[in-house]
Amino acid sequence: MKVIVTGGTGYIGSHTIVDLLNHNFEVVCIDNLSRSKKYALEGIEQITGKKPIFYQIDLCDKEAVSKVFQEHKDAIGIIHFAALKSVPESVEQPLLYYANNINSLVNVLQAIHTYQIPNFVFSSSCSVYGNADTLPVTETTTIQTAESPYAHTKQIGEDIIYNFSKAHPFHQNILLRYFNPVGAHPSALIGEIPLEKPNNLVPYITQTAIGKLQQLTVFGNDYNTRDGSNIRDYIHVCDIAHAHTLALQYLIDKKNATTVEVFNLGTGKGVSVLEAIAAFEKVSNQKLNYIIGPRRAGDVVAVYADKTKASTHLDWHCQYTLEDAMLSAWKWELKMQELF
Ligand code: NAD
Ligand code: UD1
């Protein structure tokens, strides 16, 4: 069965393509390479022995999108990862984020409608919950005002999909709300490739440990948490990836009760920034150079998932621990020294 993956050379997309190929899906990958490298395709081939069909196109180009979808109208589904994802960049350049993330989604939905591709899986984010007032966060936790234009594009994206599905109930949709994806494939052949200085914790940790960055700043240790630092739900990217294969299969098997279903993808376990650093130090045998600094604007104090729905409906269970994720991230950082 053929599946179209947008944003497929990116971090989560590339790990998901590996999982799809390993489960015998044929993959058509689309990416404009604005935030990733073509190298991911080599890594995917080395791991799986298989090669996805690749198109370098911008999903904001409606005609180019339509052409690819016409060629692959026999696809059983599409997984739409392509988006810009930096929270601070979205605050500085909101229009870039609205233009890219919304136009690309609209063009993709238009194309799946024109060519009657039945199943659609969308990359959403726990950032849609904003500052959630109850923890853990379930899929029915109230959506608060978005904390950034990036998060707002995910809220708008979800709304667009709901409205699309009301008008066109032929299409079956799943929204996957990721918590904090971290780590890399255990082979160290693919992983996240930050093209600029990273904002996210784990690439910041590994780049500090290897000496690309001088020092990590922990953004605050005066929060009302067990050690004063923020709490997040860090989940191994390979666990996130497999959830996409299961979500797609769930739609193919017509197990969905409604035309749009939402799932949280997190481990269900909150981990503090200081605990994450300690886990990294333990598995990598590296002493990390870090200081405690002021709070970062816009950070939520604590957020972690209730993952019951994905476990029961999709039969999705995490295979990897935080230590596995940290070790794989470190191995990938070392590998990148050889590669780039
Ligand atoms: P990524 O930047 O590694 O991958 C996104 C890919 O989309 C990149 O390869 C980029 O080149 C491509 N892309 C962007 N705009 C495009 C366009 N107009 N046309 C074609 N390709 C385009 O990001 P990721 O971490 O793999 O994230 C994948 C998805 O998951 C995104 O939608 C992101 O918002 C969402 N998400 C990520 C996280 C996270 O922490 N990584 C958390 C929650 C949600
Ligand atoms: C943010 C977004 C999320 C988005 C994700 C990926 C929000 C609320 N969350 O997650 O939607 O999908 O980025 O781009 O907008 N930290 C440090 N020092 C650092 C870096 C991070 O202490 O140098 C801390 C942060 O304060 C935070 C934790 O590490 O407590 C995780 O930060 P980060 O990896 O940036 O992810 P989020 O902010 O949780």
Side-chain angles (χ1 to χ4, degrees), residues 85 125 127 180 199-201 217 219 230 232 234 296 299:
K85 65 159 183 180
S125 161
S127 63
N180 288 56
N199 298 301
N200 294 121
L201 180 64
T217 302
F219 297 137
N230 284 158
R232 296 287 183 273
Y234 298 98
R296 179 171 72 174
D299 264 339

Side-chain angles (χ1 to χ4, degrees), residues 11-12 31-32 35-36 58-59 81 85 100 150 154:
Y11 174 43
I12 308 173
D31 205 295
N32 65 358
R35 299 292 161 108
S36 54
D58 190 331
L59 293 163
F81 290 103
K85 65 159 183 180
N100 188 74
Y150 162 73
K154 292 297 175 190

Side-chain angles (χ1 to χ4, degrees), residues 49-300:
K50 296 177 196 169
K51 217 177 181 164
I53 302 166
F54 177 63
Y55 293 89
Q56 184 177 349
I57 60 159
D58 190 331
L59 293 163
C60 295
D61 179 344
K62 195 175 169 182
E63 279 175 26
V65 174
S66 181
K67 204 163 161 257
V68 173
F69 278 67
Q70 187 180 26
E71 274 174 50
H72 298 285
K73 58 178 181 254
D74 55 333
I76 190 75
I78 160 152
I79 306 180
H80 181 52
F81 290 103
L84 300 176
K85 65 159 183 180
S86 161
V87 171
E89 187 183 48
S90 78
V91 173
E92 283 160 24
Q93 300 188 64
L95 298 183
L96 174 70
Y97 274 66
Y98 288 111
N100 188 74
N101 294 1
I102 307 301
N103 286 331
S104 54
L105 172 64
V106 170
N107 288 344
V108 164
L109 291 176
Q110 181 62 63
I112 64 171
H113 184 55
T114 303
Y115 300 109
Q116 293 285 289
I117 297 172
N119 301 309
F120 182 72
V121 178
F122 178 65
S123 290
S124 190
S125 161
C126 71
S127 63
V128 299
Y129 295 112
N131 250 311
D133 40 22
T134 49
L135 289 174
V137 172
T138 71
E139 289 80 357
T140 53
T141 295
T142 310
I143 302 282
Q144 309 279 359
T145 307
E147 293 285 320
S148 67
Y150 162 73
H152 196 205
T153 66
K154 292 297 175 190
Q155 291 181 341
I156 296 170
E158 291 195 356
D159 287 346
I160 290 172
I161 294 162
Y162 276 110
N163 289 331
F164 171 74
S165 105
K166 273 186 219 150
H168 307 296
F170 164 76
H171 299 279
Q172 308 304 309
N173 309 277
I174 284 184
L175 315 178
L176 296 177
R177 293 180 179 155
Y178 318 149
F179 281 66
N180 288 56
V182 292
H185 193 270
S187 64
L189 289 166
I190 53 170
E192 183 163 21
I193 308 173
L195 299 183
E196 288 172 7
K197 192 175 166 184
N199 298 301
N200 294 121
L201 180 64
V202 174
Y204 214 105
I205 289 177
T206 56
Q207 289 199 11
T208 304
I210 211 162
K212 279 189 203 161
L213 297 171
Q214 256 192 340
Q215 192 172 53
L216 171 84
T217 302
V218 174
F219 297 137
N221 69 346
D222 56 352
Y223 287 98
N224 185 19
T225 59
R226 52 184 174 264
D227 61 19
S229 64
N230 284 158
I231 289 184
R232 296 287 183 273
D233 188 337
Y234 298 98
I235 171 154
H236 198 296
V237 66
C238 292
D239 281 327
I240 291 262
H242 186 52
H244 291 76
T245 308
L246 294 174
L248 186 65
Q249 195 63 51
Y250 178 83
L251 293 178
I252 292 169
D253 295 342
K254 301 193 187 310
K255 288 186 175 163
N256 53 313
T258 53
T259 53
V260 184
E261 287 201 13
V262 185
F263 295 99
N264 282 341
L265 296 183
T267 64
K269 194 168 163 256
V271 170
S272 76
V273 176
L274 294 171
E275 288 164 353
I277 292 172
F280 172 79
E281 290 186 323
K282 184 177 150 207
V283 296
S284 67
N285 230 353
Q286 302 289 314
K287 186 89 199 86
L288 197 70
N289 180 18
Y290 73 91
I291 53 161
I292 307 294
R295 293 178 176 195
R296 179 171 72 174
D299 264 339
V300 303

Side-chain angles (χ1 to χ4, degrees), residues 14-25 48 238 241-246:
S14 55
H15 289 80
T16 301
I17 290 179
V18 165
D19 200 79
L20 288 165
L21 292 171
N22 283 340
H23 288 85
N24 294 321
F25 284 94
T48 62
C238 292
H242 186 52
H244 291 76
T245 308
L246 294 174

